[in-house]
Amino acid sequence: MSISPAPEPGEPEGPSEPSPQPSDAPPGEARRDPQGPQGPYGAPDPSASPTAAIPYGSPHPYGTPTPYGSPAPYGPHTPYGPYAPPTPVNPFAVASLITGILCCLPGAGLLLGLVALLQIRKRGQRGRAAAVVGSTLSGVGLALAVLLLTTGATGWMWQNVKDGVREGANLSLAKGDCFDSDSGDLEDAVHGVRTVPCEGAHEGEVFGTFTLKDGPYPGEAAVRDAAERCVDLRRFYAMDDWAVPRDVDAFHLTPSKETWALGDRTVTCVFSSVTEHGTLTGSLRADQTTLDDHQVAFLDAAHVLDAAMDTAPDATYVEDDLPGHKAWARRVSTALATSGSALRAHPWPATARAPLAELTARMDKARALWEKAARATDADAFYVPYDAGLTLIEPRTTVPARKALKLATTPPDPGAFDGGDDAADDDTADDGAKV
């Protein structure tokens, strides 16, 4: 037996015989060959698992195994084959179809369709059907437009549109119509009305209409000033102011800026109640169509005097405007002369002759007093004839004549004049009401 000395530190070990590998096989079993199971003649056994005999530490034949719980790597995918993008749709074809369906700018839709067909043919794009349909619809629309223009149908259609808007704005009411509004208040903008019989309750009654001058919209203020003409029309429709209820006043419906652009130029004058949610019952019409000749003659004469009385100066006291009051007194004197002459010239029925003769005599006396006031040199000289003349023509003095003519006997606007002590004594009339 020989003993080999141990190598010195740092000295490389020399070649040595390979030592037999310990066998981990159980006793009685042969050690497995590192090359795997062998079949007959020393060849590897093909039926065995290829991984069963992979020595520890050797590389895996299919690559490094993926640790448990880690996502498996995905390499680049191989496409299944060549892919070509779809042929685009021509945008002019789509635009032509939309324009044709909407029937707007038919000429443009037809032009877009023709351009689309040319581009589709050159570029091989899609959208031929859309271009054909759009061109067809636009062509039909263009033909109809030409037909309407050549036959004048557009003007007829536009006139119907304007008439419809005007009816919607409720400016198609006629003189004598009674109506109710959708809003229930004539002081605000009126957007809808419906005519109703005048015999029943209603919100308004038309007593006149007139047309404003054509041209650009003049503005709300100018239209409102022009509507003051309704005051004159009122006298021709409701000639007897005494017959108009005290809660009734005149209103006007005027064109707005929007309806003016559509041709609306009509001002509608209406009667309506001034109380909230108030209504009228029966017609207020009192003119030549409802009154007899004697009633009309009396009211015409009364209107001449009323018009002169309405021209009183703004200054309440004579001292503040003596020239203005003197001019007013002269207008009243002239009106008294005109009214008296008209009343004396009319052939009154027998029952009305006496009260009419008494009334004209009082008017002649009043005329002389008002003429004297017109020549006054100072306020004191004006007041004396003015007070006496005003007393002679206060409303109560006309009540006997009105009774004889079967007219209303209750004066309107009580308190408009201060009658004085020499007024006619009649309990059926209120003191101080204006003629």
Side-chain angles (χ1 to χ4, degrees):
M1 175 181 299
S2 62
I3 300 174
S4 300
E8 295 293 331
E11 181 180 351
E13 296 183 358
S16 61
E17 293 290 333
S19 60
Q21 296 290 334
S23 175
D24 55 357
E29 291 186 7
R31 183 177 62 86
R32 294 184 179 182
D33 194 298
Q35 300 298 323
Q38 297 181 355
Y41 310 106
D45 188 357
S47 63
S49 172
T51 62
I54 298 174
Y56 179 79
S58 301
H60 198 279
Y62 297 101
T64 304
T66 303
Y68 179 76
S70 301
Y74 290 92
H77 294 278
T78 303
Y80 293 98
Y83 175 77
T87 304
V89 179
N90 187 275
F92 289 99
V94 178
S96 176
L97 179 61
I98 295 175
T99 306
I101 293 176
L102 297 180
C103 297
C104 60
L105 302 176
L110 179 60
L111 180 61
L112 290 172
L114 296 177
V115 173
L117 291 174
L118 292 176
Q119 291 187 354
I120 290 172
R121 182 177 180 182
K122 293 181 180 180
R123 303 175 183 178
Q125 295 175 322
R126 294 184 300 158
R128 183 182 301 274
V132 172
V133 174
S135 300
T136 302
L137 294 176
S138 298
V140 172
L142 182 61
L144 290 176
V146 173
L147 180 63
L148 292 175
L149 290 174
T150 55
T151 58
T154 54
W156 173 78
M157 294 174 61
W158 177 242
Q159 185 62 40
N160 286 340
V161 170
K162 292 194 295 183
D163 292 343
V165 171
R166 290 186 60 188
E167 291 178 2
N170 305 309
L171 299 178
S172 59
L173 295 169
K175 180 180 178 180
D177 285 344
C178 296
F179 64 92
D180 288 332
S181 67
D182 293 343
S183 61
D185 188 0
L186 296 184
E187 293 185 358
D188 298 328
V190 178
H191 299 291
V193 298
R194 55 191 179 277
T195 56
V196 296
C198 292
E199 290 76 14
H202 51 275
E203 294 179 15
E205 180 178 356
V206 180
F207 63 83
T209 62
F210 60 92
T211 303
L212 300 178
K213 292 182 179 180
D214 203 357
Y217 181 65
E220 291 185 9
V223 172
R224 186 169 54 251
D225 292 342
E228 292 300 321
R229 182 181 169 189
C230 288
V231 176
D232 297 330
L233 296 180
R234 170 178 176 166
R235 293 187 180 275
F236 292 100
Y237 186 85
M239 296 181 65
D240 190 3
D241 288 339
W242 292 30
V244 178
R246 296 180 180 179
D247 65 334
V248 173
D249 201 355
F251 296 84
H252 47 257
L253 306 179
T254 58
S256 65
K257 185 176 181 180
E258 291 74 18
T259 60
W260 186 281
L262 297 171
D264 182 20
R265 304 290 186 272
T266 303
V267 175
T268 306
C269 310
V270 301
F271 282 123
S272 182
S273 175
V274 297
T275 60
E276 186 176 4
H277 305 300
T279 58
L280 310 178
T281 301
S283 176
L284 297 175
R285 189 164 193 164
D287 57 8
Q288 288 84 351
T289 63
T290 60
L291 302 175
D292 60 36
D293 293 341
H294 304 300
Q295 293 171 329
V296 171
F298 178 84
L299 294 175
D300 282 340
H303 286 165
V304 174
L305 180 58
D306 289 342
M309 296 296 294
D310 288 339
T311 63
D314 295 332
T316 304
Y317 301 103
V318 179
E319 296 86 346
D320 297 333
D321 186 10
L322 178 60
H325 280 79
K326 291 173 61 177
W328 173 49
R330 191 170 300 279
R331 290 191 295 269
V332 173
S333 175
T334 302
L336 285 168
T338 303
S339 297
S341 298
L343 292 176
R344 283 190 293 269
H346 185 80
W348 300 107
T351 56
R353 290 173 187 169
L356 264 297
E358 181 182 354
L359 178 61
T360 54
R362 295 174 67 90
M363 294 174 66
D364 290 341
K365 294 179 181 179
R367 182 189 62 77
L369 292 170
W370 282 89
E371 181 64 27
K372 185 177 181 180
R375 297 192 302 266
T377 57
D378 55 38
D380 292 337
F382 181 91
Y383 275 119
V384 174
Y386 163 76
D387 290 338
L390 184 63
T391 301
L392 289 171
I393 60 172
E394 66 174 355
R396 291 187 304 177
T397 62
T398 65
V399 170
R402 282 179 166 273
K403 281 184 177 180
L405 297 173
K406 297 181 180 180
L407 292 171
T409 57
T410 302
D413 301 328
F417 296 100
D418 186 7
D421 296 334
D422 295 334
D425 187 10
D426 194 308
D427 294 334
T428 61
D430 295 334
D431 290 341
K434 187 176 79 170
V435 177

